[in-house]
Amino acid sequence: DAGVTQSPTHLIKTRGQQVTLRCSPKSGHDTVSWYQQALGQGPQFIFQYYEEEERQRGNFPDRFSGHQFPNYSSELNVNALLLGDSALYLCASSSQGVGGYTFGSGTRLTVV
Amino acid sequence: DAKTTQPPSMDCAEGRAANLPCNHSTISGNEYVYWYRQIHSQGPQYIIHGLKNNETNEMASLIITEDRKSSTLILPHATLRDTAVYYCIVRVGKKTSYDKVIFGPGTSLSVIP
């Protein structure tokens, strides 16, 4: 049973560019949450998608946006990249309000 | 903000039980206690969760106090592979709530040979 799949695994972008990260949830899960994890810190909640709509949002600027597709997969978009956006971006899937989250291995984004 | 407090770090001898405490004094009646761990450079891994009864699975045991204001995750026979950051989280479990899992800084557990 495939877990959560994230792509790409590593990415290097230049300041000011835009990036799209992708996530395929675990089979049977309908909810996708995105997290940003800076080095040495716990994951910070960005937003959560359910039924193709953003349902919850953390304290992140509008440069961070997302999308969920009918097959429950999701994208995270970050515009106008800053050096401070360099982090591990984690995707987690779940069934709404039930059970634990399943996390992917993350995408390591480096902004230079 | 995270609703839990945990010690920043702990050590445990290999083969001994690791007992990781968590305080969640503001927990609501419909909130569950969840534990995750994160091994270096990997995504967090779900360990166990509970509401008010003690729980056990193949990975760990979860002991929740009667007043539900604190809990302890127990790894019965810690191995070097259990070295990780452990996160304690409270989360509403109702299917109709659009909940979000908020991580605190967690406890960095080092298992020592």
Side-chain angles (χ1 to χ4, degrees):
Chain A
D1 180 22
V4 176
T5 304
Q6 291 188 246
S7 63
T9 56
H10 295 82
L11 199 56
I12 299 175
K13 288 288 189 178
T14 303
R15 190 173 48 182
Q17 285 188 315
Q18 178 264 344
V19 68
T20 298
L21 310 182
R22 295 175 175 82
C23 173
S24 293
K26 180 179 178 180
S27 178
H29 285 179
D30 56 13
T31 302
V32 173
S33 302
W34 286 92
Y35 291 82
Q36 179 195 68
Q37 187 172 28
L39 204 60
Q41 298 183 17
Q44 299 297 307
F45 176 76
I46 302 175
F47 43 53
Q48 181 183 83
Y49 277 83
Y50 172 67
E51 292 185 330
E52 303 179 47
E53 290 188 19
E54 183 182 296
R55 301 292 182 174
Q56 295 272 356
R57 190 178 183 93
N59 188 26
F60 279 81
D62 293 343
R63 298 187 298 109
F64 290 77
S65 63
H67 189 78
Q68 185 180 35
F69 299 93
N71 66 352
Y72 308 120
S73 67
S74 178
E75 290 181 347
L76 164 66
N77 301 293
V78 187
N79 294 323
L81 284 167
L82 304 174
L83 297 180
D85 295 331
S86 295
L88 179 67
Y89 287 84
L90 295 162
C91 170
S93 72
S94 61
S95 292
Q96 185 56 235
V98 177
Y101 281 21
T102 300
F103 282 83
S105 297
T107 294
R108 173 71 62 185
L109 173 66
T110 302
V111 182
V112 298
Chain B
D1 292 339
K3 296 183 178 180
T4 64
T5 56
Q6 300 176 249
S9 63
M10 293 181 62
D11 292 339
C12 178
E14 188 178 16
R16 303 297 294 268
N19 297 282
L20 293 92
C22 178
N23 287 319
H24 32 80
S25 59
T26 61
I27 192 170
S28 300
N30 62 350
E31 288 183 317
Y32 287 70
V33 179
Y34 280 76
W35 283 84
Y36 292 81
R37 74 179 182 184
Q38 187 173 25
I39 296 171
H40 182 62
S41 297
Q42 298 181 20
Q45 175 190 25
Y46 164 79
I47 301 173
I48 197 168
H49 75 283
L51 183 62
K52 55 183 178 181
N53 298 319
N54 298 337
E55 302 288 344
T56 296
N57 63 19
E58 66 279 3
M59 292 182 66
S61 295
L62 173 60
I63 309 297
I64 302 174
T65 58
E66 190 169 347
D67 63 8
R68 303 206 327 119
K69 293 185 177 181
S70 65
S71 61
T72 301
L73 179 74
I74 301 173
L75 308 179
H77 305 286
T79 71
L80 299 179
R81 287 175 294 180
D82 292 323
T83 293
V85 177
Y86 288 77
Y87 298 99
C88 170
I89 294 153
V90 295
R91 174 192 177 198
V92 175
K94 292 186 68 174
K95 191 172 178 63
T96 55
S97 67
Y98 301 119
D99 68 316
K100 53 189 179 184
V101 173
I102 302 299
F103 289 84
T107 295
S108 178
L109 174 69
S110 296
V111 179
I112 302 169

